[in-house]
Amino acid sequence: MNIDKIIQEYPEDYCAMLEFAYGKGMMSEGGTEAIEEMFKDVHVNQKKCLDIGFGLAGVAYYLAATFGADITGLEINPWMAIQANKKISAALKNLLHFVTYENFPKIPFNNNEFDIVYSKGVLVHLQDKQETFNEMYRVLKPRGSLVINDWLSPSNNLWSDGVKKLCETEDLTLFATSEQGYLTLIERAGFQNIRTKNVSMQYSNYNFQIAEKLRDKKIANVFQKKFSKKLWRDSVEGYQLISDAMKNNEIIVMNMYAEK
Ligand SMILES: C[S@@+](CC[C@H](N)C(=O)[O-])C[C@H]1O[C@@H](n2cnc3c(N)ncnc32)[C@H](O)[C@@H]1O
């Protein structure tokens, strides 16, 4: 599997742009509201968690600060692990650890280590997800929880023309997996008590709000100075496209839960 391609798709300046749009430490939409919704029925308090694809680590910082969760983050991008480790506040030093793979897709931890394995907005980048689900199962303790948020497609291996256009404009490779496709992968890994919650309308609204925020004159000026006019135009158009695609069921945003 070519993980270099995923690393190339998140250069530092693009990550800075995403953080500007999504908020501090975030590379996915919805901020703390989306995180709270994702973990609403999950007991995170002081639990040992693994964050797959932590990005700029906003989700991990929030869960550690709010629930005292002990979080290990795992990234394919070594630059992100360096950044995230640097930015841990003194108060959270004992709760957060950020690392990269040694031998992708093997998760570099022992069997039965974590109470919760979670991932927000990550697995859509991965073509072959089965090994990763098998690995997530292996490192979870018995009865441990899997918590996934991702962008899904209505049919396996098929995005709409609008989503294809978005991938071209943003130079992103997203793999189309349907809800049924996801359920099969999760079941095959051995998980039970699988449930899903469609959060597309909330995410459509988050993306609409980002497009609106970027259209604001003052914010547009700051964005254009910091990045470029072209990136501003592409971003406003991109977030509007994503919002519409989520409203029209071309992108389905799902929170998924399962138990080992
Ligand atoms: C859209 S960002 C989301 C980051 C973070 N979860 C958030 O919500 O802010 C996707 C991240 O997943 C990482 N990534 C993609 N595939 C991965 C994998 N198989 N394992 C770990 N990280 C991965 C990318 O490097 C990128 O940082």
Side-chain angles (χ1 to χ4, degrees):
M1 176 154 330
N2 187 2
I3 59 170
D4 291 342
K5 174 110 180 60
I6 306 178
I7 295 176
Q8 279 161 21
E9 287 182 353
Y10 284 98
E12 287 182 36
D13 54 346
Y14 181 61
C15 294
M17 187 283 287
L18 292 180
E19 192 176 29
F20 188 99
Y22 295 134
K24 201 166 184 299
M26 294 303 301
M27 283 171 56
S28 66
E29 63 275 66
T32 55
E33 186 182 312
I35 302 172
E36 289 283 350
E37 168 66 35
M38 183 173 165
F39 290 93
K40 197 165 69 182
D41 299 319
V42 183
H43 301 290
V44 192
N45 270 11
Q46 291 167 9
K47 289 283 160 60
K48 192 166 178 205
C49 305
L50 179 66
D51 180 334
I52 306 280
F54 56 82
L56 299 175
V59 180
Y61 294 144
Y62 180 76
L63 294 179
T66 313
F67 301 105
D70 177 324
I71 301 180
T72 301
L74 179 63
E75 253 294 336
I76 53 168
N77 193 327
W79 169 78
M80 287 174 186
I82 295 167
Q83 291 299 311
N85 278 315
K86 261 193 215 158
K87 289 185 185 161
I88 303 174
S89 67
L92 299 179
K93 268 266 175 279
N94 296 331
L95 290 178
L96 293 164
H97 331 264
F98 297 106
V99 299
T100 50
Y101 292 86
E102 290 151 19
N103 180 19
F104 181 87
K106 187 169 169 31
I107 294 181
F109 298 103
N110 295 328
N111 298 352
N112 309 325
E113 260 201 70
F114 295 95
D115 299 300
I116 298 169
V117 174
Y118 71 84
S119 185
K120 185 173 190 296
V122 172
L123 299 179
V124 70
H125 295 292
L126 203 56
Q127 185 164 25
D128 178 8
K129 304 183 198 341
Q130 188 65 63
E131 280 183 276
T132 292
F133 276 111
N134 296 349
E135 280 291 284
M136 294 194 282
Y137 184 87
R138 182 182 64 75
V139 299
L140 265 175
K141 293 178 186 171
R143 313 281 299 170
S145 301
L146 178 74
V147 183
I148 305 287
N149 165 271
D150 208 7
W151 289 9
L152 277 58
S153 54
S155 319
N156 250 357
N157 303 318
L158 192 67
W159 288 121
S160 66
D161 290 344
V163 178
K164 284 185 200 153
K165 182 175 169 225
L166 174 80
C167 291
E168 269 166 37
T169 328
E170 301 277 319
D171 198 18
L172 272 180
T173 313
L174 303 178
F175 293 99
T177 311
S178 67
E179 181 175 4
Q180 190 47 54
Y182 247 108
L183 294 177
T184 304
L185 291 164
I186 296 172
E187 250 169 36
R188 273 196 199 137
F191 286 99
Q192 52 187 343
N193 298 334
I194 305 169
R195 63 187 175 88
T196 58
K197 183 166 184 202
N198 187 322
V199 287
S200 302
M201 289 319 283
Q202 289 97 309
Y203 274 69
S204 168
N205 199 26
Y206 297 146
N207 282 287
F208 176 73
Q209 283 167 7
I210 295 168
E212 284 291 276
K213 172 176 123 178
L214 296 183
R215 282 186 191 111
D216 174 273
K217 223 174 168 178
K218 261 195 202 152
I219 294 177
N221 272 334
V222 176
F223 188 103
Q224 289 171 14
K225 273 200 192 121
K226 215 169 153 54
F227 306 104
S228 70
K229 232 179 189 161
K230 178 177 181 323
L231 191 58
W232 175 79
R233 242 183 275 117
D234 288 351
S235 300
V236 173
E237 192 193 339
Y239 287 114
Q240 189 62 58
L241 261 170
I242 297 171
S243 174
D244 294 343
M246 287 173 178
K247 207 190 296 174
N248 301 333
N249 275 328
E250 294 168 55
I251 297 173
I252 297 157
V253 191
M254 206 63 96
N255 287 344
M256 293 170 273
Y257 306 88
E259 228 175 69
K260 178 166 176 178

